[in-house]
Amino acid sequence: MLPRLHSLTLLRLFAASWVVVFHFHHKFPPAPGGVWERFCGNGHFAMPLFFVLSGLVLAYCYPRIPDASAIQRFYWARFARVFPAYAVMHLLALLLMVELWHSDPVRWIYSNVLSALGLQAWFHYTFPIGLNGATWSVSVEAFFYLLFPALLPVCQYFEQRWGPLRPLVLCILFSTFIGFSDIAFETGYDSGYYILPILRLPDFILGVFLGVQLRRESKLGPRAWLGLITALVLFSVVTTLPNSWLGSTQMNFRARGLVSLAVCGLLFFCARVEQYHRPAWQSLPLRILIYLGEASYALFLVHVLLVRIMEFPVFRPTVMVLKVKGLHSEAWIVFCTISLVAAIALHELVEKPARRWLKRRHTRSAPASPALPPVEAFTVRS
């Protein structure tokens, strides 16, 4: 069994927390002009981090998927990991927002049927009107999972033929090209451009190349530490740039090449250092953070629904009072606390038991065959 890379779990927690503050800062913005305000406003850069990490983890945990039965078990493992908590939150959103049915029943049915099927990212009209809008990234991940058994041998072939650097450079260049391609459209930025799975695919392929490389033995010299420091500096600089430097809208890919480069270095060198040095993770604060990292998918699912609930008429007066009195810090503390408690409940009461039950059910019904490596501890989501 492969050792767990807890550094990747911590980075997953960081990315999920970044998405949380990105969505909440629209309700209670921090002081303008500061580093924290720019960091919150650039939370869309968490998406490349999620998608690269997803490809890396899958390629690291699944070195090969040799036959049809292995592909079937891979898909079932992904379904058991993702769908139960996703379905529960979608049903909860339907119950809480049933009044939207009366305002526009046709669009309501359309958007939620697509969301239930995991297809909402392909039809961008579901993005602004969907009940739990941030789940577009789950739809993107489903597309990646579908392609992964075919992508893995292709990436392994090019990695062996060209080495690790050339495929990464080509993917980053292609990703950068996509990032700048919006200048060709006079209509400007569109949400469908932001969520379309095929345009997010280069990030996932980058992760697959990194995961393939992580399985190969190599020396850990000063270059690894230098690469990690460089990636941290680059990531810190790009993610705290003023939004006005990155284009006319917040959500854009103008700096995508730099972000992809920084994310690749950050993930790869963190994992490589942990592979060789095996840091101790036994201290209580680190164990708590690792647990929260394992529950970060649940955190991602619950927080946007909480943001939507804040728009309910019954809560609007409270939100307005907090804004008028300038109690932004108190609002942040309450929102983050409720999000964490709800995420832990979803993780413990739905996500973990449903995954165990589905895996046992599939194991009893499937014919005996060599087991695939476990991947639950590394699964990532945005």
Side-chain angles (χ1 to χ4, degrees), residues 108-176:
W108 190 86
I109 294 173
Y110 169 80
S111 63
N112 287 289
V113 168
L114 288 175
S115 296
L117 296 174
L119 298 174
Q120 65 269 41
W122 295 97
F123 302 89
H124 72 276
Y125 287 109
T126 65
F127 178 53
I129 66 174
L131 297 183
N132 200 357
T135 57
W136 68 266
S137 57
V138 179
S139 178
V140 174
E141 289 279 1
F143 173 64
F144 295 162
Y145 294 158
L146 180 67
L147 293 184
F148 178 73
L151 276 176
L152 179 63
V154 173
C155 292
Q156 289 172 334
Y157 170 79
F158 283 110
E159 194 272 340
Q160 291 175 355
R161 185 177 179 87
W162 290 345
L165 187 60
R166 188 174 173 186
L168 287 174
V169 170
L170 290 176
C171 281
I172 290 173
L173 289 175
F174 183 61
S175 179
T176 306

Coordinates of all heavy atoms in Angstrom, one line a residue, residues 108-176:
W108 N -36.2 25.7 -13.4 CA -36.0 25.0 -12.2 C -35.8 23.6 -12.4 O -34.8 22.9 -12.0 CB -37.1 25.3 -11.2 CG -36.9 24.9 -9.8 CD1 -36.3 25.6 -8.8 CD2 -37.3 23.6 -9.2 NE1 -36.3 24.8 -7.7 CE2 -36.9 23.6 -7.9 CE3 -37.9 22.5 -9.7 CZ2 -37.1 22.6 -7.0 CZ3 -38.1 21.4 -8.9 CH2 -37.7 21.5 -7.5
I109 N -36.7 23.0 -13.2 CA -36.6 21.5 -13.5 C -35.4 21.3 -14.4 O -34.6 20.3 -14.1 CB -37.9 21.1 -14.2 CG1 -39.1 21.1 -13.3 CG2 -37.7 19.6 -14.7 CD1 -40.4 20.8 -13.9
Y110 N -35.2 22.1 -15.4 CA -34.1 21.9 -16.3 C -32.7 21.9 -15.6 O -31.9 21.0 -15.7 CB -34.1 23.0 -17.3 CG -32.9 23.2 -18.2 CD1 -32.7 22.4 -19.3 CD2 -32.0 24.2 -17.9 CE1 -31.6 22.5 -20.1 CE2 -30.8 24.4 -18.7 CZ -30.7 23.5 -19.8 OH -29.6 23.7 -20.6
S111 N -32.5 22.9 -14.7 CA -31.2 23.1 -14.1 C -31.0 22.0 -13.1 O -29.9 21.4 -12.9 CB -31.1 24.4 -13.4 OG -32.1 24.5 -12.4
N112 N -32.0 21.5 -12.4 CA -31.8 20.6 -11.3 C -31.8 19.1 -11.8 O -31.1 18.3 -11.2 CB -32.9 20.7 -10.2 CG -32.7 21.9 -9.4 OD1 -31.8 22.0 -8.6 ND2 -33.5 23.0 -9.6
V113 N -32.4 18.8 -12.9 CA -32.2 17.5 -13.5 C -30.8 17.4 -14.0 O -30.1 16.4 -13.8 CB -33.2 17.3 -14.7 CG1 -32.9 16.1 -15.5 CG2 -34.6 17.1 -14.1
L114 N -30.3 18.4 -14.7 CA -28.9 18.4 -15.1 C -27.9 18.3 -14.0 O -26.9 17.5 -14.0 CB -28.6 19.7 -15.9 CG -29.2 19.8 -17.3 CD1 -28.9 21.1 -17.9 CD2 -28.7 18.7 -18.2
S115 N -28.2 19.0 -12.9 CA -27.3 18.9 -11.7 C -27.4 17.5 -11.1 O -26.3 17.0 -10.7 CB -27.7 19.9 -10.7 OG -27.6 21.2 -11.2
A116 N -28.5 16.9 -11.0 CA -28.6 15.5 -10.5 C -27.9 14.5 -11.3 O -27.3 13.6 -10.8 CB -30.1 15.1 -10.4
L117 N -27.8 14.8 -12.6 CA -27.0 13.9 -13.5 C -25.5 14.2 -13.6 O -24.8 13.5 -14.3 CB -27.6 13.9 -14.9 CG -29.1 13.4 -15.1 CD1 -29.6 13.7 -16.5 CD2 -29.2 12.0 -14.7
G118 N -25.1 15.3 -12.9 CA -23.7 15.7 -13.0 C -23.3 16.3 -14.3 O -22.1 16.3 -14.7
L119 N -24.3 16.9 -15.0 CA -24.0 17.5 -16.3 C -24.1 19.0 -16.4 O -24.0 19.6 -17.4 CB -25.0 16.9 -17.3 CG -24.9 15.4 -17.6 CD1 -26.1 15.0 -18.5 CD2 -23.6 15.0 -18.2
Q120 N -24.2 19.7 -15.2 CA -24.5 21.1 -15.2 C -23.4 21.9 -15.7 O -23.6 23.0 -16.2 CB -24.8 21.5 -13.7 CG -23.7 21.4 -12.7 CD -23.7 20.1 -12.0 OE1 -24.0 19.1 -12.6 NE2 -23.5 20.1 -10.7
A121 N -22.1 21.5 -15.7 CA -21.0 22.3 -16.2 C -21.0 22.4 -17.7 O -20.4 23.3 -18.3 CB -19.7 21.7 -15.7
W122 N -21.7 21.5 -18.4 CA -21.8 21.5 -19.8 C -22.9 22.5 -20.4 O -22.9 22.8 -21.5 CB -22.1 20.1 -20.4 CG -20.9 19.2 -20.1 CD1 -20.8 18.3 -19.1 CD2 -19.7 19.1 -20.8 NE1 -19.7 17.6 -19.2 CE2 -18.9 18.0 -20.2 CE3 -19.2 19.7 -22.0 CZ2 -17.7 17.7 -20.7 CZ3 -18.0 19.3 -22.4 CH2 -17.2 18.3 -21.8
F123 N -23.8 22.9 -19.5 CA -24.9 23.8 -19.9 C -24.9 25.0 -18.9 O -25.4 24.9 -17.8 CB -26.2 23.0 -19.7 CG -26.3 21.8 -20.6 CD1 -25.8 20.6 -20.0 CD2 -26.7 21.8 -21.9 CE1 -25.9 19.4 -20.8 CE2 -26.8 20.7 -22.6 CZ -26.3 19.5 -22.1
H124 N -24.2 26.0 -19.4 CA -23.8 27.1 -18.4 C -25.0 27.9 -17.9 O -24.9 28.6 -16.9 CB -22.8 28.1 -19.1 CG -23.4 29.0 -20.1 ND1 -23.6 28.6 -21.4 CD2 -23.9 30.2 -20.0 CE1 -24.1 29.6 -22.1 NE2 -24.3 30.6 -21.3
Y125 N -26.2 27.7 -18.4 CA -27.4 28.4 -17.8 C -27.7 27.8 -16.5 O -28.5 28.4 -15.7 CB -28.6 28.2 -18.8 CG -28.5 29.1 -20.0 CD1 -28.3 28.5 -21.3 CD2 -28.6 30.5 -19.9 CE1 -28.1 29.3 -22.4 CE2 -28.5 31.3 -21.0 CZ -28.3 30.7 -22.3 OH -28.1 31.5 -23.4
T126 N -27.3 26.6 -16.2 CA -27.5 26.0 -14.8 C -26.6 26.7 -13.8 O -26.8 26.5 -12.6 CB -27.3 24.5 -14.8 OG1 -26.0 24.2 -15.1 CG2 -28.2 23.9 -15.9
F127 N -25.5 27.3 -14.2 CA -24.5 27.9 -13.3 C -25.1 29.0 -12.4 O -25.0 28.9 -11.2 CB -23.3 28.3 -14.1 CG -22.2 28.9 -13.2 CD1 -21.7 28.2 -12.1 CD2 -21.7 30.2 -13.5 CE1 -20.7 28.8 -11.4 CE2 -20.7 30.7 -12.8 CZ -20.2 30.0 -11.7
P128 N -25.7 30.0 -13.0 CA -26.2 31.1 -12.1 C -27.5 30.7 -11.4 O -27.9 31.3 -10.4 CB -26.5 32.2 -13.1 CG -26.7 31.6 -14.4 CD -25.9 30.3 -14.4
I129 N -28.3 29.8 -11.9 CA -29.6 29.5 -11.3 C -29.7 28.2 -10.6 O -30.7 27.9 -10.0 CB -30.8 29.5 -12.4 CG1 -30.6 28.3 -13.4 CG2 -30.8 30.8 -13.1 CD1 -31.7 28.2 -14.4
G130 N -28.6 27.4 -10.6 CA -28.6 26.1 -9.9 C -28.7 26.4 -8.4 O -28.3 27.4 -7.9
L131 N -29.3 25.4 -7.7 CA -29.5 25.6 -6.3 C -28.2 25.6 -5.5 O -28.1 26.4 -4.5 CB -30.4 24.5 -5.8 CG -31.8 24.4 -6.4 CD1 -32.6 23.3 -5.8 CD2 -32.5 25.8 -6.2
N132 N -27.3 24.8 -5.8 CA -26.0 24.8 -5.1 C -24.9 25.0 -6.2 O -24.3 24.1 -6.7 CB -25.8 23.5 -4.4 CG -24.7 23.6 -3.3 OD1 -24.1 24.6 -3.1 ND2 -24.5 22.5 -2.6
G133 N -24.8 26.3 -6.6 CA -24.0 26.6 -7.8 C -22.6 26.1 -7.9 O -22.1 25.8 -9.0
A134 N -21.9 26.1 -6.8 CA -20.5 25.7 -6.9 C -20.3 24.2 -7.2 O -19.2 23.8 -7.5 CB -19.8 25.9 -5.5
T135 N -21.4 23.4 -7.3 CA -21.2 22.0 -7.7 C -20.9 21.8 -9.2 O -20.7 20.7 -9.6 CB -22.5 21.2 -7.4 OG1 -23.6 21.8 -8.0 CG2 -22.7 21.2 -5.9
W136 N -20.7 22.9 -9.9 CA -20.3 22.8 -11.3 C -18.9 22.1 -11.3 O -18.7 21.3 -12.3 CB -20.1 24.2 -12.0 CG -19.1 25.0 -11.4 CD1 -19.2 26.0 -10.4 CD2 -17.7 25.1 -11.8 NE1 -18.0 26.6 -10.2 CE2 -17.0 26.0 -11.0 CE3 -16.9 24.4 -12.7 CZ2 -15.7 26.3 -11.1 CZ3 -15.6 24.6 -12.8 CH2 -15.0 25.6 -12.0
S137 N -18.1 22.3 -10.3 CA -16.8 21.6 -10.3 C -16.9 20.1 -10.1 O -16.0 19.4 -10.6 CB -15.9 22.2 -9.3 OG -16.4 22.1 -8.0
V138 N -17.9 19.6 -9.4 CA -18.1 18.2 -9.3 C -18.5 17.6 -10.7 O -18.0 16.5 -11.0 CB -19.3 17.9 -8.3 CG1 -19.5 16.4 -8.2 CG2 -19.0 18.5 -7.0
S139 N -19.2 18.4 -11.5 CA -19.5 17.9 -12.9 C -18.2 17.8 -13.7 O -18.0 16.9 -14.5 CB -20.5 18.9 -13.5 OG -20.8 18.6 -14.8
V140 N -17.3 18.8 -13.5 CA -16.0 18.8 -14.2 C -15.2 17.6 -13.8 O -14.6 16.9 -14.6 CB -15.3 20.1 -13.9 CG1 -13.9 20.0 -14.5 CG2 -16.0 21.3 -14.5
E141 N -15.2 17.3 -12.5 CA -14.5 16.1 -12.0 C -15.0 14.8 -12.5 O -14.3 13.9 -12.8 CB -14.5 16.1 -10.5 CG -13.7 17.2 -9.8 CD -12.2 16.8 -9.7 OE1 -11.8 15.7 -10.2 OE2 -11.4 17.6 -9.2
A142 N -16.4 14.7 -12.7 CA -17.0 13.5 -13.2 C -16.5 13.3 -14.7 O -16.2 12.2 -15.1 CB -18.5 13.7 -13.2
F143 N -16.3 14.4 -15.4 CA -15.8 14.3 -16.8 C -14.3 13.8 -16.7 O -13.9 12.9 -17.5 CB -15.8 15.6 -17.4 CG -15.1 15.7 -18.8 CD1 -15.6 15.0 -19.8 CD2 -14.1 16.6 -19.0 CE1 -15.0 15.1 -21.1 CE2 -13.4 16.7 -20.2 CZ -13.9 15.9 -21.3
F144 N -13.5 14.3 -15.8 CA -12.1 13.8 -15.6 C -12.1 12.3 -15.3 O -11.3 11.6 -15.8 CB -11.4 14.6 -14.6 CG -11.2 16.1 -14.9 CD1 -11.0 17.0 -13.9 CD2 -11.4 16.5 -16.2 CE1 -10.8 18.4 -14.2 CE2 -11.2 17.9 -16.5 CZ -10.9 18.8 -15.5
Y145 N -13.0 11.9 -14.3 CA -13.0 10.5 -13.9 C -13.3 9.6 -15.1 O -12.8 8.5 -15.3 CB -14.0 10.3 -12.8 CG -13.7 11.0 -11.5 CD1 -14.7 11.2 -10.6 CD2 -12.4 11.4 -11.2 CE1 -14.4 11.9 -9.4 CE2 -12.1 12.0 -10.0 CZ -13.1 12.2 -9.1 OH -12.9 12.9 -7.9
L146 N -14.2 10.1 -16.0 CA -14.6 9.3 -17.1 C -13.4 9.1 -18.1 O -13.3 8.0 -18.6 CB -15.8 10.0 -17.9 CG -16.3 9.3 -19.1 CD1 -17.0 8.0 -18.8 CD2 -17.3 10.3 -19.9
L147 N -12.6 10.1 -18.2 CA -11.5 10.1 -19.1 C -10.2 9.4 -18.6 O -9.4 9.0 -19.3 CB -11.1 11.5 -19.6 CG -12.1 12.2 -20.5 CD1 -11.5 13.6 -20.9 CD2 -12.5 11.4 -21.7
F148 N -10.1 9.3 -17.2 CA -8.9 9.0 -16.6 C -8.3 7.6 -17.1 O -7.1 7.5 -17.3 CB -9.0 9.0 -15.1 CG -7.8 8.5 -14.4 CD1 -6.6 9.4 -14.3 CD2 -7.7 7.3 -13.8 CE1 -5.5 9.0 -13.7 CE2 -6.5 6.9 -13.1 CZ -5.4 7.7 -13.1
P149 N -9.1 6.5 -17.1 CA -8.6 5.2 -17.6 C -7.9 5.3 -19.0 O -7.0 4.6 -19.3 CB -9.8 4.3 -17.6 CG -10.7 4.9 -16.6 CD -10.6 6.4 -16.7
A150 N -8.4 6.2 -19.8 CA -7.8 6.4 -21.2 C -6.6 7.3 -21.1 O -5.6 7.2 -21.8 CB -8.8 6.8 -22.2
L151 N -6.7 8.4 -20.3 CA -5.7 9.4 -20.2 C -4.4 8.8 -19.6 O -3.3 9.2 -20.0 CB -6.1 10.6 -19.4 CG -6.9 11.7 -20.1 CD1 -7.4 12.7 -19.1 CD2 -6.1 12.3 -21.2
L152 N -4.5 8.0 -18.6 CA -3.4 7.5 -17.8 C -2.3 6.8 -18.7 O -1.1 7.2 -18.7 CB -3.8 6.5 -16.7 CG -2.7 5.9 -15.9 CD1 -2.0 7.0 -15.1 CD2 -3.3 4.9 -14.9
P153 N -2.6 5.8 -19.6 CA -1.6 5.2 -20.4 C -1.0 6.2 -21.4 O 0.2 6.1 -21.8 CB -2.3 4.0 -21.1 CG -3.8 4.3 -21.0 CD -3.9 5.1 -19.7
V154 N -1.8 7.1 -21.9 CA -1.3 8.1 -22.8 C -0.3 9.0 -22.2 O 0.8 9.3 -22.7 CB -2.5 9.0 -23.4 CG1 -1.9 10.1 -24.2 CG2 -3.4 8.1 -24.2
C155 N -0.6 9.5 -21.0 CA 0.4 10.3 -20.2 C 1.6 9.5 -19.9 O 2.7 10.1 -19.9 CB -0.3 10.9 -19.0 SG -1.6 12.1 -19.3
Q156 N 1.5 8.3 -19.5 CA 2.6 7.5 -19.2 C 3.5 7.3 -20.4 O 4.8 7.3 -20.3 CB 2.2 6.1 -18.6 CG 1.6 6.2 -17.2 CD 1.0 4.9 -16.8 OE1 0.5 4.1 -17.6 NE2 0.9 4.6 -15.5
Y157 N 2.9 7.1 -21.6 CA 3.7 6.9 -22.8 C 4.5 8.2 -23.1 O 5.7 8.1 -23.4 CB 2.7 6.6 -23.9 CG 3.4 6.7 -25.3 CD1 4.2 5.6 -25.8 CD2 3.2 7.8 -26.1 CE1 4.8 5.7 -27.0 CE2 3.9 7.9 -27.4 CZ 4.6 6.8 -27.8 OH 5.3 6.8 -29.0
F158 N 3.8 9.4 -23.1 CA 4.6 10.6 -23.4 C 5.6 10.9 -22.3 O 6.7 11.5 -22.6 CB 3.6 11.8 -23.6 CG 2.9 11.7 -24.9 CD1 1.5 11.4 -25.0 CD2 3.6 12.0 -26.1 CE1 0.9 11.4 -26.2 CE2 2.9 11.9 -27.3 CZ 1.6 11.6 -27.4
E159 N 5.3 10.6 -21.1 CA 6.3 10.8 -20.0 C 7.6 10.0 -20.2 O 8.7 10.4 -20.0 CB 5.7 10.6 -18.6 CG 6.4 11.1 -17.4 CD 7.5 10.1 -16.9 OE1 7.3 8.9 -17.3 OE2 8.4 10.5 -16.3
Q160 N 7.4 8.7 -20.6 CA 8.5 7.9 -20.9 C 9.3 8.3 -22.2 O 10.5 8.2 -22.2 CB 8.1 6.4 -21.1 CG 7.6 5.8 -19.8 CD 7.0 4.4 -20.0 OE1 6.9 3.9 -21.1 NE2 6.6 3.7 -18.9
R161 N 8.5 8.8 -23.2 CA 9.2 9.1 -24.5 C 9.9 10.5 -24.4 O 10.9 10.7 -25.0 CB 8.1 9.1 -25.5 CG 8.6 9.4 -27.0 CD 7.5 9.3 -28.0 NE 7.9 9.5 -29.3 CZ 8.4 8.6 -30.1 NH1 8.5 7.4 -29.7 NH2 8.8 8.9 -31.3
W162 N 9.2 11.5 -23.7 CA 9.8 12.8 -23.7 C 10.4 13.2 -22.4 O 11.0 14.3 -22.3 CB 8.6 13.8 -24.1 CG 8.1 13.8 -25.5 CD1 8.8 13.2 -26.5 CD2 7.0 14.4 -26.0 NE1 8.0 13.3 -27.7 CE2 6.9 14.1 -27.4 CE3 5.9 15.1 -25.4 CZ2 5.9 14.5 -28.2 CZ3 4.9 15.5 -26.2 CH2 4.9 15.2 -27.6
G163 N 10.2 12.4 -21.4 CA 10.6 12.9 -20.1 C 9.6 13.7 -19.4 O 8.5 14.0 -20.0
P164 N 9.8 14.1 -18.1 CA 8.7 14.7 -17.4 C 8.5 16.2 -17.8 O 7.4 16.8 -17.6 CB 9.1 14.6 -15.9 CG 10.6 14.5 -16.0 CD 10.9 13.8 -17.3
L165 N 9.5 16.9 -18.2 CA 9.5 18.3 -18.4 C 8.7 18.8 -19.6 O 7.9 19.7 -19.6 CB 10.9 18.9 -18.4 CG 11.0 20.4 -18.4 CD1 10.3 21.0 -17.1 CD2 12.4 20.9 -18.5
R166 N 9.0 18.1 -20.7 CA 8.4 18.6 -22.0 C 6.8 18.5 -22.0 O 6.2 19.5 -22.4 CB 9.0 17.8 -23.1 CG 8.6 18.3 -24.5 CD 9.3 17.5 -25.6 NE 8.9 17.8 -26.9 CZ 9.3 17.2 -28.0 NH1 10.2 16.2 -27.9 NH2 8.8 17.5 -29.2
P167 N 6.2 17.4 -21.6 CA 4.8 17.4 -21.5 C 4.2 18.4 -20.6 O 3.1 19.0 -20.9 CB 4.5 15.9 -21.0 CG 5.7 15.1 -21.3 CD 6.8 16.1 -21.2
L168 N 4.9 18.7 -19.5 CA 4.4 19.7 -18.5 C 4.4 21.1 -19.2 O 3.5 21.9 -19.1 CB 5.2 19.7 -17.3 CG 5.0 18.5 -16.3 CD1 6.0 18.6 -15.2 CD2 3.6 18.5 -15.8
V169 N 5.5 21.4 -19.9 CA 5.6 22.7 -20.5 C 4.5 22.9 -21.6 O 3.9 23.9 -21.7 CB 7.0 22.8 -21.2 CG1 7.1 24.1 -22.1 CG2 8.1 22.9 -20.1
L170 N 4.3 21.8 -22.4 CA 3.3 21.9 -23.4 C 1.9 22.1 -22.8 O 1.1 22.9 -23.3 CB 3.3 20.6 -24.3 CG 4.5 20.4 -25.2 CD1 4.5 19.1 -25.9 CD2 4.6 21.6 -26.2
C171 N 1.6 21.4 -21.7 CA 0.3 21.6 -21.1 C 0.1 23.0 -20.5 O -1.0 23.6 -20.6 CB 0.1 20.5 -20.0 SG -0.4 18.9 -20.6
I172 N 1.2 23.5 -19.9 CA 1.1 24.9 -19.3 C 0.9 25.9 -20.4 O 0.2 26.8 -20.3 CB 2.4 25.1 -18.5 CG1 2.3 24.3 -17.2 CG2 2.5 26.6 -18.2 CD1 3.6 24.4 -16.4
L173 N 1.6 25.7 -21.6 CA 1.5 26.6 -22.7 C 0.1 26.6 -23.2 O -0.5 27.6 -23.5 CB 2.5 26.3 -23.8 CG 3.9 26.6 -23.5 CD1 4.8 26.1 -24.6 CD2 4.1 28.1 -23.3
F174 N -0.5 25.4 -23.4 CA -1.9 25.3 -23.8 C -2.9 25.9 -22.9 O -3.8 26.5 -23.2 CB -2.2 23.8 -24.1 CG -3.6 23.6 -24.7 CD1 -3.9 24.1 -25.9 CD2 -4.5 22.8 -24.0 CE1 -5.2 23.9 -26.4 CE2 -5.8 22.7 -24.5 CZ -6.1 23.2 -25.7
S175 N -2.6 25.7 -21.6 CA -3.4 26.2 -20.6 C -3.4 27.8 -20.6 O -4.4 28.5 -20.5 CB -3.0 25.7 -19.2 OG -3.8 26.3 -18.2
T176 N -2.2 28.3 -20.8 CA -2.1 29.8 -21.0 C -2.8 30.3 -22.2 O -3.4 31.3 -22.2 CB -0.6 30.1 -21.0 OG1 0.1 29.6 -19.9 CG2 -0.4 31.6 -21.0

